[in-house]
Amino acid sequence: MPRPAVIHPLHSDIPKPERFTYPFCYEPHPLCILAAEETKREIARIQPTEGKMFGVMVVEQDGTLGFLAAYSGLLEGRNDWEYFVPPVYDAQQPDGYFKTREREISAITRHSAPDGQHPSPDTRPLSQALQLWLFRQYRILNARGETKDLVEIWHDYHTSPKIRNKYPLPPGGTGDCCAPKLLQYAYLHRLKPVCMAEFWWGPSPRSAVRHHGEYYPACRGKCLPVLTWMLQGLDVDPNPEEAGLPHLRVETVYEDEAIAAVNKPSGMLSTPGRIEKYSVATWASERWAGAVPVHRLDMMTSGIILVAKTQEAYRHLQRQFEEHTIKKKYLALVEGSPEREHGIIDIPLSSDPVNHPRQMVDYEHGKRAITEYRVLHSGERSLLALWPHTGRTHQLRMHCAHPDGLGCPIVGDELYGHKSDRLYLQAQSITFIHPVTGRRMHIETGEMMSP
């Protein structure tokens, strides 16, 4: 069978991986890095004007390796660039049903009340019906040769009635990301998928944090249901997040009859997760019967966590958190140096619906998030003191990394910066009122970070 033009040769003595890439948590295989470097040269030739996710997949045909390349959505308004695989379904044909019907719905809205005296008709049912029709056209294959459309895949994955009622259809653009395009093309042309990787090219979107040339996992909101289906029948790497975590040592910094303060190491959960159960909470309950953490830290953040040994102490400390009278200080080692030595970051945040657990800057619907910072040491890596005035998810990490904040990602932040041996963010101290004595307490860890 002649090779389609979009299969690009890959000449290398690098051994193949034993299994295909688990796309939601991976280290790019050296073969994918070679393919990505070739693809980057083609992207540079096109000179796209916007940032975009690109993907490569190493494939095998008749014992020979090659690779495929793809981009998410449209590239410069087109979906027909010859170097890249085609879309799963082409909805961009000007005379096709989708574009024709889309123009009709727009015309109804635009011309129904030209004098502005009467409200336009509600065209949402028409738009939803058109979206449903479009998703039915995406006939998605898996490695067994079975086919389902996007609506079937979405409903089979999300079996909870609560989710089905809230999200009856997939998000717009589902099926147009890199990974589904690459797998669909490979299956259609009987190519064996070997490994894949995705990377960002160009400027970061305003709401999120993406670094030019960095590798990223597939998005979860759109791609997790689709790829769960498409990877069936393929030998895939295990999910590293389900491999379990080492049972790390927890240091007790302070203890009395009512409370304790412990130093959580980086890489340990604060409370039991969906798969991994060992955590500060389980450790504390085994050490002190009935003890529970009063607050949490991200798994990769180290530092002080307060533990209540009694319900009375727990309620008292919880009330202090609710009233924002508890003060926490963090230390962070960041890439680069902030422009100002001291300041306030006030940037609203919301969860990224398609990239959980990532957060995004959202000036329209986000919750206010405020962080005070001071530069303790400035250089290629700078040491900062951070005081969060609010407690949003990933607040400190986003405020450090995002260009509207400091534009200096925390060292080791895999979500918003670059990978290292650990996340260099530490809850160094906490100040609060003791729930029994009423005395003002200040507790800090002796562990320090150096730039």
Side-chain angles (χ1 to χ4, degrees), residues 108-277:
I108 292 171
T109 303
R110 189 169 56 251
H111 299 301
S112 59
D115 58 0
Q117 299 301 311
H118 303 287
S120 300
D122 186 359
T123 57
R124 283 177 297 180
L126 299 176
S127 297
Q128 291 170 355
L130 182 59
Q131 190 70 57
L132 175 61
W133 177 89
L134 178 62
F135 285 144
R136 293 288 189 192
Q137 310 314 303
Y138 281 72
R139 305 292 297 171
I140 308 292
L141 288 163
N142 66 16
R144 300 190 187 105
E146 301 164 334
T147 304
K148 287 185 180 180
D149 66 44
L150 280 179
V151 178
E152 293 174 305
I153 291 171
W154 183 260
H155 288 171
D156 288 347
Y157 184 84
H158 291 294
T159 57
S160 164
K162 183 177 180 181
I163 296 179
R164 292 272 290 270
N165 289 334
K166 189 174 182 180
Y167 304 106
L169 292 178
T174 299
D176 292 325
C177 295
C178 297
K181 287 182 177 181
L182 291 166
L183 282 168
Q184 183 82 351
Y185 190 91
Y187 294 154
L188 283 171
H189 293 85
R190 290 176 168 73
L191 307 172
K192 180 183 178 182
V194 175
C195 53
M196 70 165 291
E198 297 185 51
F199 60 91
W200 183 265
W201 179 277
S204 176
R206 179 74 190 277
S207 62
V209 178
R210 297 286 186 274
H211 297 280
H212 177 71
E214 286 288 309
Y215 292 92
Y216 289 92
C219 71
R220 291 179 180 265
K222 295 179 182 179
C223 286
L224 186 55
V226 177
L227 296 186
T228 298
W229 164 254
M230 298 190 82
L231 293 174
Q232 291 182 23
L234 201 60
D235 189 13
V236 181
D237 283 335
N239 179 359
E241 297 173 346
E242 296 181 354
L245 300 172
H247 288 199
L248 301 174
R249 177 177 173 269
V250 181
E251 175 193 5
T252 301
V253 180
Y254 172 86
E255 180 185 358
D256 61 32
E257 292 184 356
I259 65 170
V262 302
N263 187 13
K264 183 186 87 68
S266 176
M268 184 177 186
L269 293 169
S270 295
T271 57
R274 183 174 60 88
I275 296 167
E276 176 61 51
K277 303 304 179 186

Side-chain angles (χ1 to χ4, degrees), residues 273-288:
R274 183 174 60 88
I275 296 167
E276 176 61 51
K277 303 304 179 186
Y278 184 74
S279 63
V280 172
T282 55
W283 176 89
S285 65
E286 292 171 358
R287 187 177 180 89
W288 306 295

Side-chain angles (χ1 to χ4, degrees), residues 26-37:
Y26 66 90
E27 288 290 332
H29 190 273
L31 287 172
C32 282
I33 294 175
L34 285 179
E37 292 306 311

